[in-house]
Amino acid sequence: MYNGSLRFCFLPFDLTTQDPLRISKMVKICCIGAGYVGGPTMAVIALKCPEIEVAVVDISVSRIAAWNSDTLPIYEPGLDEVVKKCRGKNLFFSTDVEKHVSEADIVFVSVNTPTKTQGLGAGKAADLTYWESAARMIADVSKSNKIVVEKSTVPVKTAEAIEKILNHNSKGIDFQILSNPEFLAEGTAIQDLFNPDRVLIGGRETPEGQKAIEALRDVYAHWVPVDRIICTNLWSAELSKLAANAFLAQRISSVNAMSALCEATGADVSQVSHAVGKDTRIGPKFLNASVGFGGSCFQKDILNLVYICECNGLPEVANYWKQVIKINDYQKTRFVNRIVSSMFNTVSGKKIAILGFAFKKDTGDTRETPAIDVCKGLLGDKALLSIYDPQVNEEQIQRDLAMKKFDWDHPVHLQPMSPTSIKQVNVVWDAYAATKDAHGVCILTEWDEFKTLDYQRIYDNMRKPAFVFDGRNVVDEAKLRAIGFIVYSIGKPLDQWLKDMPAMA
Ligand code: NAI
């Protein structure tokens, strides 16, 4: 654990001189971007480092207002408590971006890095518009030396580009760039930040670069054991983040590929993944078959990796990683096809209840959620959808279903507005209302409450034959079959009904 040295915390660094650091003022951190990453990470730094003043700034007025209110803009277990302990003391949320940046010693940049939709690298490369504008602003408003920390996930060598923007100022200010990618997972962000597997800090291999790394390491060392703080060069840190997400997504696509084979052969994917995961070289985590992965990072980061491979003349490597995304898309299509083929090859005019819209449990985040593609697939076959998610509201669902691919990754006020809401979609606040008079139920998020619903009551109020399509393997199929449901669980032995109506992928 932290060894008690608070050197950095009271000693703002002066990177232009070799003088011992001056004891003069409280260290100030500013984070540009008050999103899923910026908000929770800065709240935890403020909690663990009471002597550091942390300001989180954003161009979105509504987001900052929400951070300053009783209803935070994101749902994350434990986040409210942390924010309430520090807000107004050493944690501040503000739209005065320039003021806080100019006063800060360390500036984290945690802004959106969407996938490009036009021009060179469209559909794969990262769009660094927001990053570049943040860097230019830092260069413009700075009056003192700063450490600038990449928190956003960025393509390898972004730091080099940012360094050029920052250091081509005429004021003689020195900027040290660090890469400190964030590994938190939504839904467990606070737990992950309190007890990270590792903190990764990449910097230049110069004395100034090493000094900057030390300064940031001292912040984390307040609560992270030093042997978990890994220091590397800039490029290794940037690439490690993309590689980690690619490996995680690859495990999901691997088990999902197995799930299709299990259905075809009568094996049970839960038994297979249990047996496979018992091998200590493989491990049990991230081996749950499902309707597919989602979230803001996996697809985007793999596309980014693919683009980097292509740009470096490695098409075989690019194709290898592309396949992880293709299997994910295949899994979603396969799920929709199962539903349609089981229900006599048409869902036109049929009410289908969608339980869960977020990309995973314990978050309200819907970015790249598989629910979007599943719902769009069912709407394409003219189904009537009744959607319930405990953390996602109607406006968000309508916006997601109307939005074009990749448009979600822009600040809220810059996202294209949904023209009109989709009439075949009804959003309700209760699983029983969603399933009433439905022909089928699709479970698309593994919320705990879906395990304990009164399925007898649901069955009694549904049209018959009543179907359950479990995209997260949360229900007890045997119990539901005993009630009378026809059940499809991913990668599990099929009901006779489903065997007779094979899904065409
Ligand atoms: P987000 O969309 O929730 O937050 C980004 C924020 O930046 C928005 O509130 C936006 O208004 C603000 N912003 C954009 N340009 C700005 C500017 N010039 N000045 C001030 N504010 C600006 O995004 P999120 O999820 O926090 O992700 C941020 C970065 O972290 C992305 O690169 C993402 O890939 C990466 N990341 C995300 C993780 C996640 O679980 N969400 C985990 C690890 C990394």
Side-chain angles (χ1 to χ4, degrees):
M1 288 298 287
Y2 183 59
N3 62 11
S5 151
L6 292 176
R7 177 173 48 88
F8 169 70
C9 303
F10 298 107
L11 304 173
F13 39 88
D14 182 349
L15 297 162
T16 49
T17 70
Q18 297 302 314
D19 294 339
L21 303 177
R22 288 168 296 126
I23 302 179
S24 55
K25 57 175 179 138
M26 191 180 195
V27 166
K28 289 190 177 176
I29 287 180
C30 174
C31 176
I32 307 177
Y36 287 87
V37 171
T41 48
M42 292 304 123
V44 168
I45 288 181
L47 182 77
K48 299 291 184 181
C49 311
E51 71 281 27
I52 295 180
E53 188 181 299
V54 181
V56 191
V57 297
D58 204 293
I59 45 175
S60 164
V61 176
S62 61
R63 230 178 194 182
I64 290 297
W67 279 110
N68 282 320
S69 76
D70 285 338
T71 313
L72 301 184
I74 61 177
Y75 171 71
E76 193 61 62
L79 177 65
D80 270 43
E81 218 183 325
V82 175
V83 170
K84 275 177 195 150
K85 274 189 188 150
C86 315
R87 197 172 54 191
K89 291 184 188 136
N90 66 330
L91 176 66
F92 303 92
F93 295 94
S94 167
T95 49
D96 198 344
V97 180
E98 299 187 359
K99 170 182 176 284
H100 289 284
V101 168
S102 77
E103 289 174 358
D105 303 295
I106 303 180
V107 181
F108 286 83
V109 184
S110 185
V111 299
N112 319 64
T113 47
T115 305
K116 278 182 86 170
T117 49
Q118 295 174 26
L120 192 65
K124 281 178 281 198
D127 174 352
L128 292 176
T129 310
Y130 301 111
W131 233 111
E132 189 177 331
S133 90
R136 287 185 190 282
M137 183 270 300
I138 297 171
D140 286 347
V141 306
S142 292
K143 297 184 194 73
S144 56
N145 297 340
K146 295 191 194 314
I147 294 176
V148 176
V149 185
E150 283 180 347
K151 205 45 159 159
S152 304
T153 307
V154 290
V156 181
K157 304 254 171 177
T158 299
E160 198 167 72
I162 301 304
E163 210 168 40
K164 283 188 184 132
I165 295 173
L166 290 171
N167 285 331
H168 272 72
N169 63 77
S170 50
K171 304 181 203 160
I173 295 172
D174 186 74
F175 293 99
Q176 284 301 317
I177 320 293
L178 298 178
S179 166
N180 173 220
E182 185 48 60
F183 293 100
L184 67 78
E186 286 174 34
T188 53
I190 297 300
Q191 213 178 299
D192 296 342
L193 288 164
F194 278 175
N195 191 21
D197 288 339
R198 78 309 211 179
V199 166
L200 181 56
I201 306 174
R204 281 278 180 206
E205 289 154 312
T206 58
E208 295 79 12
Q210 294 303 302
K211 208 159 140 186
I213 290 179
E214 259 177 54
L216 187 56
R217 192 173 52 193
D218 283 352
V219 173
Y220 284 108
H222 278 73
W223 77 99
V224 181
V226 281
D227 59 353
R228 287 204 209 158
I229 305 178
I230 303 171
C231 301
T232 66
N233 72 30
L234 274 172
W235 328 133
S236 299
E238 288 178 343
L239 183 58
S240 299
K241 174 64 191 175
L242 296 182
N245 274 350
F247 277 48
L248 289 170
Q250 182 200 43
R251 279 174 78 93
I252 298 176
S253 280
S254 297
V255 76
N256 282 345
M258 284 301 157
S259 74
L261 186 57
C262 288
E263 287 167 30
T265 57
D268 180 329
V269 75
S270 308
Q271 295 174 351
V272 173
S273 54
H274 179 68
V276 170
K278 277 288 175 192
D279 185 328
T280 50
R281 292 168 303 175
I282 297 172
K285 294 186 184 165
F286 258 67
L287 283 180
N288 289 329
S290 70
V291 62
F293 61 73
S296 66
C297 298
F298 283 179
Q299 173 165 304
K300 183 174 77 170
D301 293 356
I302 294 174
L303 288 172
N304 218 321
L305 191 63
V306 165
Y307 185 65
I308 294 168
C309 293
E310 286 173 354
C311 291
N312 282 283
L314 302 168
E316 289 80 3
V317 184
N319 287 336
Y320 174 76
W321 288 110
K322 235 186 248 173
Q323 198 58 29
V324 172
I325 296 177
K326 282 192 184 164
I327 286 287
N328 198 47
D329 288 338
Y330 166 75
Q331 190 76 344
K332 291 181 271 189
T333 308
R334 217 166 65 74
F335 189 76
V336 172
N337 291 352
R338 271 281 180 228
I339 299 170
V340 178
S341 66
S342 312
M343 299 172 83
F344 316 102
N345 252 349
T346 179
V347 287
S348 179
K350 292 178 186 165
K351 177 174 171 180
I352 310 278
I354 303 290
L355 299 188
F357 198 82
F359 85 94
K360 64 194 276 197
K361 75 170 180 175
D362 291 339
T363 177
D365 193 355
T366 58
R367 296 177 293 178
E368 290 291 351
T369 174
I372 294 175
D373 285 340
V374 170
C375 289
K376 281 185 176 172
L378 295 171
L379 289 167
D381 211 80
K382 298 201 171 75
L384 305 174
L385 303 183
S386 186
I387 306 178
Y388 163 66
D389 185 291
Q391 286 297 330
V392 187
N393 63 28
E394 177 161 13
E395 191 199 339
Q396 185 63 51
I397 290 173
Q398 286 288 358
R399 187 191 275 264
D400 287 333
L401 292 175
M403 213 167 344
K404 282 202 231 126
K405 202 168 167 61
F406 302 130
D407 274 355
W408 53 268
D409 201 2
H410 293 270
V412 177
H413 61 288
L414 299 178
Q415 284 171 11
M417 292 302 286
S418 33
T420 45
S421 56
I422 301 169
K423 285 200 269 328
Q424 302 95 307
V425 172
N426 185 28
V427 179
V428 295
W429 277 103
D430 172 39
Y432 298 103
T435 51
K436 187 163 184 342
D437 295 326
H439 293 257
V441 177
C442 295
I443 301 174
L444 299 183
T445 312
E446 71 281 20
W447 286 104
D448 289 338
E449 65 179 69
F450 299 155
K451 290 183 188 154
T452 52
L453 290 171
D454 181 348
Y455 281 99
Q456 181 66 58
R457 177 177 162 200
I458 289 176
Y459 180 79
D460 292 343
N461 289 321
M462 281 176 68
R463 304 287 185 93
K464 308 296 175 324
F467 297 86
V468 168
F469 302 95
D470 185 359
R472 298 284 176 174
N473 288 351
V474 294
V475 301
D476 181 332
E477 311 113 80
K479 270 194 194 155
L480 263 61
R481 284 188 183 124
I483 292 172
F485 283 106
I486 295 163
V487 185
Y488 167 66
S489 293
I490 285 183
K492 301 289 185 100
L494 296 174
D495 271 1
Q496 192 56 44
W497 182 289
L498 296 153
K499 274 190 197 152
D500 294 343
M501 298 186 181
M504 307 295 281

